[in-house]
Structures are given as structure tokens and as C-alpha cells.
């Protein structure tokens, strides 16, 4: 069962089929993908569907996954936050199989503190419910905003990694790290 978490402005909850068009709009946005990586292009509908299903399935397999972010005031899906097993093709980091944290917001919701609000709730849940000793995240070298967000939640620079031909930064956070 996927837990429901609430913050002042958000409900972190299971994905719903009616979220999918909004998910496509976010994941299909070229600026969103460029913030993640120079090598990521906007996902087409099929790619979005497969990622949408992957995000739901994580809960069944691992007991953690991604939450859909529902804005309380509009009841609209505005992004996602959570933890997943990516099985990324990166050989030089020993923590590759630990839970990886990630977050993504609709372009018009960025810069309003929603990512931090969602992460605060997700990190508290993680510390109480995921047995892993640490989590990690991967952020593009140019995505300074996400790097600062990660560091506010206790993630510390760990190693550079080459992922799909692009140098990325990885960050580690011990269980119970500052939140």
C-alpha cells in the first residue's frame, strides 16, 4: 500500500490514471528534460507511459517508490517525488543499487518551494521506513537549483559519474541525515 503524506500545500499520493496527461506534459517538456541532462530529450507518450508504470511498480517490488504530487488548492497533479531502483549503467559508484531519490515539478510550479516541501515529507518517510543505510541522487552538473535542494536535505557530493555520455554529479545522504 502506498502511504499518503500531506504537507501544507501538497498531498503525496499514489499515481492515478487521470494523472497521466499531466505526467506527459511535464516529462514531455524539453526544458524539464534539459534540466535533468543534456542527453535527455523530452519523452514521447510511449516513454512517459513506461516510466509512469515503472514508478507505480516500484512500490510493489521494493516497498518504496514515487508519489504523485497533488496540489491541494487545485487538486491537480503537479509533479513527482520519491525513491526508486534505477539500475543505472554506472560502474564507478558502489551505491548504485541503493534507493535513488528524485523529484520533478511542472515548469509553472518551480521556484515556489514545492520541491522542498515534498522532499521534507518524503525524506522523513524514508528515514522511518526504508532500511537502507543511505540514499543517493544524480544531478546534472549545470542544474545548480537541484544541487542546492539536495544539499539542503543532507545530500553531500560523492562522485562524478559518466551516464549516457554525460558527466553527472552524485550525492549521498545517510539515513537520518539532516532534513
Amino acid at each position: 500500500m502506498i502511504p499518503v503524506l500531506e504537507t501544507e500545500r501538497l498531498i503525496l499520493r499514489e499515481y492515478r490514471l487521470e494523472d497521466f496527461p499531466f505526467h506527459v506534459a511535464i516529462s514531455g517538456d524539453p526544458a524539464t528534460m534539459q534540466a535533468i541532462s543534456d542527453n535527455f530529450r523530452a519523452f514521447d507518450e510511449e516513454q512517459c507511459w513506461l516510466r509512469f508504470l515503472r514508478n507505480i511498480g516500484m512500490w510493489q517490488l521494493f516497498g518504496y517508490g514515487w508519489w504523485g504530487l497533488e496540489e491541494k488548492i487545485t487538486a491537480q497533479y503537479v509533479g513527482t517525488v520519491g525513491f526508486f531502483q534505477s539500475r543505472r549503467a554506472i560502474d564507478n559508484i558502489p551505491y548504485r543499487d541503493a534507493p535513488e531519490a528524485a523529484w520533478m515539478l511542472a515548469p509553472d510550479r518551480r521556484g515556489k518551494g514545492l520541491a522542498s516541501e515534498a522532499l521534507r515529507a518524503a525524506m522523513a518517510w524514508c528515514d522511518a521506513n526504508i532500511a537502507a543505510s543511505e540514499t543517493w541522487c544524480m544531478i546534472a552538473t549545470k542544474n545548480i537549483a537541484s544541487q542546492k535542494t539536495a544539499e539542503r536535505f543532507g545530500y553531500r557530493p560523492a562522485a562524478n559519474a559518466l551516464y549516457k555520455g554525460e558527466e553527472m554529479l552524485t550525492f549521498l545522504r545517510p539515513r537520518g541525515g539532516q532534513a
Side-chain angles (χ1 to χ4, degrees):
M1 181 163 179
I2 300 170
V4 175
L5 309 177
E6 288 198 39
T7 69
E8 181 182 339
R9 298 177 290 169
L10 297 169
I11 299 171
L12 287 67
R13 49 126 175 109
E14 79 287 345
Y15 279 31
R16 297 179 185 149
L17 189 55
E18 59 266 22
D19 297 335
F20 184 65
F22 299 102
H23 184 79
V24 171
I26 296 167
S27 298
D29 176 58
T32 298
M33 292 300 110
Q34 283 295 299
I36 294 172
S37 166
D38 285 336
N39 291 330
F40 283 29
R41 299 295 175 245
F43 293 125
D44 63 26
E45 185 178 37
E46 179 182 0
Q47 292 168 313
C48 289
W49 180 245
L50 294 174
R51 293 173 75 83
F52 190 77
L53 295 175
R54 173 204 69 185
N55 295 348
I56 294 168
M58 289 287 161
W59 287 101
Q60 180 70 31
L61 293 174
F62 298 104
Y64 57 83
W66 295 56
W67 286 275
L69 301 178
E70 180 180 314
E71 189 176 50
K72 287 181 176 180
I73 196 165
T74 64
Q76 184 177 350
Y77 174 95
V78 296
T80 188
V81 67
F83 305 91
F84 68 116
Q85 285 285 335
S86 61
R87 303 281 192 236
R88 293 192 190 277
I90 302 173
D91 294 330
N92 69 318
I93 57 170
Y95 42 86
R96 172 188 94 110
D97 293 329
E100 181 179 348
W103 54 94
M104 186 167 54
L105 288 173
D108 64 338
R109 298 309 199 280
R110 293 186 201 132
K112 299 176 183 190
L114 291 175
S116 291
E117 193 171 316
L119 276 166
R120 189 171 299 107
M123 291 298 165
W125 183 90
C126 172
D127 289 341
N129 294 282
I130 297 178
S133 63
E134 61 190 5
T135 59
W136 70 289
C137 63
M138 183 175 76
I139 302 172
T141 57
K142 68 180 182 180
N143 191 339
I144 304 302
S146 283
Q147 292 171 38
K148 288 179 179 179
T149 298
E151 289 179 348
R152 274 196 308 275
F153 287 92
Y155 284 95
R156 297 295 172 246
N160 291 5
L162 192 62
Y163 181 64
K164 296 187 177 186
E166 183 178 353
E167 188 168 329
M168 304 290 277
L169 304 175
T170 67
F171 296 77
L172 279 170
R173 178 186 183 269
R175 184 176 184 183
Q178 77 180 48

